[in-house]
Amino acid sequence: MIKRVDKRLQAVQCLTGNKIKIIACITMLIDHFSKIFLESIMNDKLFPLYLAGGMSTEQFYGIDAFQKNILNGIGTIAFPLFCLLLSEGFFYTKNRKRYIGGMLAFALISEVPFDIGFFSRYSIAEGTFPFYLQYQNVFFTLFLGLLTLVIIEKVALKISGDGRKSKVTKILCQLGVVIIMAIIAELVKCDYGSQGIVYVSMLYFLRKTRGSAQKHFHTDATTGRRCESAFALLSHQKVTKRLFLAEIYDKIEDGRISGKGAILWELRFRV
């Protein structure tokens, strides 16, 4: 059984924080190359060449499909990964004000290159070059995401109590914060808009739930006497279960969960 656990551990622990950063940066680079350079080549050179008969229909639409379906598809991986890194950074940073201020600074610095790269045609036509006011770069989305997390935490602190009414009120207020910030993101016309706020908030709540489950599980888990209570908690968190699985396997491998605890975990969460 432990050997099977070790094999699964190797499967789920193939990524580290630095590897995720590298993947996010590479996919972002592919996305920008496709949407800025390759799309410009398609519009300015290849499409006129296709109309003049210099390229066959199969060749032109083959390149077009590769650019739109493959490269742009790979590029969509970047944003969810940056949201994940952002939510983790929110927990681990020692200075949240500096963290949020840095994100705003990056948003302001990146806006002109972003407008020139993606919307220079439109800004020239509107006479606002190098600025394009109809769309803002993704750092503004991440900045608003961080503000959302700050407000969510303040709401949680102000609404005290462990009763059912307090919990429901807290959840509704936090949901209201997410909705309001998502509307602001749409009004500001940030990249990814309300989707970005939802992604960041969702990852934040999953992170909080995972931390709560981990704390509950760790209580006397080495003896197996309270494993069932942890399993009861985690059985209602299907998403959290898979995110938390790697950490539990890590504890099993290190010997911090053994005997009955490991066996119960293996039987309960066979995947």
Side-chain angles (χ1 to χ4, degrees), residues 27-41 66-67 71-72 118:
T27 52
M28 181 182 68
L29 181 64
I30 292 173
D31 178 78
H32 287 15
F33 170 78
S34 173
K35 292 179 179 178
I36 296 175
F37 297 105
L38 190 55
E39 190 165 330
S40 177
I41 293 173
F66 175 75
Q67 184 250 331
L71 295 183
N72 289 358
F118 285 93

Side-chain angles (χ1 to χ4, degrees), residues 228 231-233 235 241 263-270:
E228 283 299 336
F231 294 145
L233 171 66
S235 63
K241 176 185 69 176
I263 294 172
L264 286 174
W265 178 266
E266 172 70 15
L267 293 176
R268 182 84 178 195
F269 292 114
R270 186 178 297 275

Side-chain angles (χ1 to χ4, degrees), residues 53-69:
M55 288 183 69
S56 66
T57 302
E58 291 78 11
Q59 289 176 326
F60 177 78
Y61 283 104
I63 297 173
D64 184 64
F66 175 75
Q67 184 250 331
K68 292 181 178 178
N69 298 332

Side-chain angles (χ1 to χ4, degrees), residues 74-264:
I74 293 173
T76 58
I77 298 173
F79 183 70
L81 293 181
F82 280 120
C83 289
L84 172 63
L85 295 170
L86 185 83
S87 62
E88 288 294 310
F90 182 77
F91 281 98
Y92 287 111
T93 183
K94 295 180 180 179
N95 191 331
R96 286 184 176 177
K97 289 184 179 180
R98 185 175 179 181
Y99 188 49
I100 296 172
M103 191 62 64
L104 178 59
F106 273 115
L108 295 173
I109 294 171
S110 303
E111 184 60 22
V112 172
F114 175 78
D115 290 346
I116 293 174
F118 285 93
F119 303 106
S120 58
R121 293 171 182 256
Y122 304 104
S123 61
I124 291 173
E126 294 179 3
T128 60
F129 184 85
F131 300 102
Y132 184 70
L133 305 178
Q134 303 301 317
Y135 208 80
Q136 319 308 325
N137 71 74
V138 73
F139 284 109
F140 282 104
T141 312
L142 299 178
F143 168 70
L144 290 176
L146 286 175
L147 289 183
T148 304
L149 302 188
V150 170
I151 299 172
I152 284 174
E153 286 208 341
K154 288 185 177 181
V155 168
L157 292 174
K158 286 187 176 181
I159 303 175
S160 59
D162 296 327
R164 183 175 182 180
K165 185 177 180 180
S166 297
K167 290 181 179 179
V168 172
T169 303
K170 186 185 299 184
I171 291 172
L172 291 177
C173 290
Q174 290 177 329
L175 181 61
V177 170
V178 174
I179 293 173
I180 292 171
M181 296 303 290
I183 293 173
I184 292 174
E186 290 291 335
L187 293 176
V188 177
K189 298 180 180 178
C190 297
D191 199 11
Y192 287 94
S194 57
Q195 274 187 314
I197 304 301
V198 172
Y199 285 160
V200 173
S201 303
M202 179 184 67
L203 290 167
Y204 167 83
F205 285 120
L206 288 175
R207 177 69 164 72
K208 291 282 285 185
T209 307
R210 184 184 66 185
S212 175
Q214 184 178 14
K215 182 179 179 181
H216 194 114
F217 188 91
H218 186 69
T219 304
D220 206 20
T222 53
T223 64
R225 284 177 288 187
R226 298 188 184 180
C227 284
E228 283 299 336
S229 63
F231 294 145
L233 171 66
L234 291 173
S235 63
H236 298 289
Q237 305 290 345
K238 293 183 179 180
V239 176
T240 305
K241 176 185 69 176
R242 296 189 180 276
L243 292 174
F244 187 53
L245 193 58
E247 297 183 16
I248 296 300
Y249 280 163
D250 187 41
K251 289 179 173 61
I252 293 173
E253 185 184 50
D254 292 343
R256 285 176 280 166
I257 298 177
S258 58
K260 184 180 176 182
I263 294 172
L264 286 174

